[in-house]
Amino acid sequence: MSERRNILTDPQSSRVKRVAGLFRRSSRNRHGRYLAEGPQAVREAIKCVPEQVLDLYLTEAAGQRQQDILQSAQQANIYLHWVSQAVMDAISTDAQGLVAVMDLAGIRAGADALAQVLKGATQVVVMSETQDPGNAGTIIRVADAAGADAVIMARGCVELTSPKVIRASAGSLYHLPVITGLALDDIIAALRDAQLNILAADGAAHLSLFAIEDMLATPVAWLLGNEARGLSRSELNHADAVVAIPIYGKAESLNVATAAAVCLYATARAQH
Amino acid sequence: MSERRNILTDPQSSRVKRVAGLFRRSSRNRHGRYLAEGPQAVREAIKCVPEQVLDLYLTEAAGQRQQDILQSAQQANIYLHWVSQAVMDAISTDAQGLVAVMDLAGIRAGADALAQVLKGATQVVVMSETQDPGNAGTIIRVADAAGADAVIMARGCVELTSPKVIRASAGSLYHLPVITGLALDDIIAALRDAQLNILAADGAAHLSLFAIEDMLATPVAWLLGNEARGLSRSELNHADAVVAIPIYGKAESLNVATAAAVCLYATARAQH
């Protein structure tokens, strides 16, 4: 390439420290920014929400490997910062050479945003007290794959902008609306207003997922609980039906993200 | 309690170092032992395969919390080693106070073991080149839940006895046979002998999982590939049918463990 590049080479520089600091929640909230790491998340961010991509940090090796991302970033006039491998390592060890600094204002929150995405929705997913970032990201990804209209993360869940959530979502958080910041009671009220049937996933339920075909064909909201404790009694009381995935073997339960996959695909299948 | 307990308190002792060393594959193979960490794995090991539990290391706090495990270990005459929290931390930071040393000879391997478990089987899962321990363990867990007859991990997968695989399986590896150590070609030959239909999961396939109800009701073996690369052309050539989970949204693909959940439950539903 003929152009001459300035390459950031000092892992100790204040700029690098500021970017790496966005791994901390306090720093994300103070600066109104968060990170999307790795080719999959960065590619989807540039493709779907380029206006939210504030800066792109990349190594020359990553730029060579991911020419498509480099081109779309240039076309979208995203500010590129070329960095040495040592600087990239100081920012993230899990980014495969590509980190985007994203605008936190792009994350949808609040009752108005929720009411809007629920209009005409036929399948949405509500996480309550989901704590593991890998589970939360995987649920967003499977909700996207199953064609859900929105994912709602009630207050008390792991933060959506935690880097591990973003990574596990594999870019899906830029494919469908993910709403944060609301208490579960307010979410339930909005689901009722939008006339969605609320189905709670609970391994101890008597009603089998495979016995409610008719209900799955109606507009539904899936309510998913905490990894260890599941849904509380008061959470279960919000539901129109409490549903279990049948266990045919000796497993005590399913991982919440696995359970989400089975429930959402059973719904998608009934609705399509 | 009236009995006086000897408590191991030195994290630097050779015994503690030997147990902690079982996190390394070389050490597991040299000593013929591996670790099961945490209440869920330990409970299921003692319940289902007590003869394979060689030693149990636990803290007093864990013994208090998990009285059922303590009792069943005592009933099974398993050698208990009470340890200080510092010793437990030196063994594992992820065990919630309970680590079992397991006999590696209990892990089934080889052609005879495979032929035996395939007799009369109606659903089995074959992993090829599955590398992520969390995925491998989650697949074993969902195979158990979906009532599969066996899981087969072809040579080239992450090792079954890797602590993260054991943990993600949540005890399910003690609920159904998990066979290791065979090359994929030999596994395919055994599946053919047992007259199972081989279905390969591949996101790029034209055939939808939801369009093959009749085939799912026959005895099937699901072939699952590597997380990043999927199944190779030569692996796909082994299959009687190559099947995709439909993507209704914009996600490019599903995580392999999520895909396994959807495929195995679609099969369980068709067969039950």
Side-chain angles (χ1 to χ4, degrees), chain B residues 29-163:
Chain B
N29 290 335
R30 189 165 57 244
H31 297 294
R33 282 151 171 62
Y34 71 97
L35 300 176
E37 306 163 276
Q40 214 167 4
V42 169
R43 181 184 291 111
E44 297 309 302
I46 295 173
K47 196 196 308 178
C48 304
V49 291
E51 72 287 358
Q52 296 175 29
V53 184
L54 303 178
D55 293 277
L56 181 58
Y57 290 81
L58 72 171
T59 60
E60 295 215 289
Q64 287 283 347
R65 269 196 312 270
Q66 311 285 353
Q67 303 262 352
D68 64 319
I69 296 178
L70 183 55
Q71 278 179 15
S72 58
Q74 286 166 332
Q75 280 163 14
N77 284 318
I78 290 165
Y79 199 159
L80 301 183
H81 305 267
W82 296 93
V83 303
S84 66
Q85 188 61 48
V87 165
M88 184 51 69
D89 290 346
I91 295 175
S92 166
T93 55
D94 233 346
Q96 296 168 62
L98 279 165
V99 170
V101 176
M102 305 290 303
D103 187 351
L104 198 63
I107 301 295
R108 285 179 247 200
D112 290 347
L114 178 58
Q116 200 177 351
V117 302
L118 292 183
K119 271 183 204 150
T122 57
Q123 176 164 223
V124 303
V125 184
V126 181
M127 294 187 230
S128 182
E129 304 278 340
T130 305
Q131 287 302 317
D132 179 84
N135 284 336
T138 303
I139 289 170
I140 294 169
R141 183 176 178 186
V142 75
D144 177 17
D149 298 289
V151 174
I152 306 153
M153 296 177 73
R155 217 181 283 156
C157 285
V158 59
E159 233 181 327
L160 171 58
T161 53
S162 155

Side-chain angles (χ1 to χ4, degrees), chain A residues 40 43-44 48 138 141-142 144-148 172 174-176 209-210 213 216 245-259 261-262 265-266 268-269 272, chain B residues 40 43-44 48 138 141-147 172 174-176 209-210 213 216 245-259 261-262 265-266 268-269 272:
Chain A
Q40 216 167 1
R43 181 185 291 112
E44 298 309 300
C48 304
T138 302
R141 183 176 177 186
V142 75
D144 177 17
S172 283
Y174 303 120
H175 293 163
L176 83 171
L209 173 67
F210 300 143
E213 283 296 294
L216 295 181
I245 297 169
I247 302 280
Y248 299 107
K250 295 179 201 151
E252 200 185 287
S253 65
L254 287 166
N255 162 288
V256 64
T258 312
V262 176
Y265 262 97
R269 180 181 185 168
H272 281 86
Chain B
Q40 214 167 4
R43 181 184 291 111
E44 297 309 302
C48 304
T138 303
R141 183 176 178 186
V142 75
D144 177 17
S172 283
Y174 304 120
H175 293 163
L176 82 173
L209 173 67
F210 300 142
E213 283 296 294
L216 294 181
I245 297 169
I247 302 282
Y248 299 107
K250 294 179 199 150
E252 202 185 284
S253 65
L254 287 166
N255 162 286
V256 65
T258 313
V262 177
Y265 262 97
R269 181 182 183 167
H272 279 85

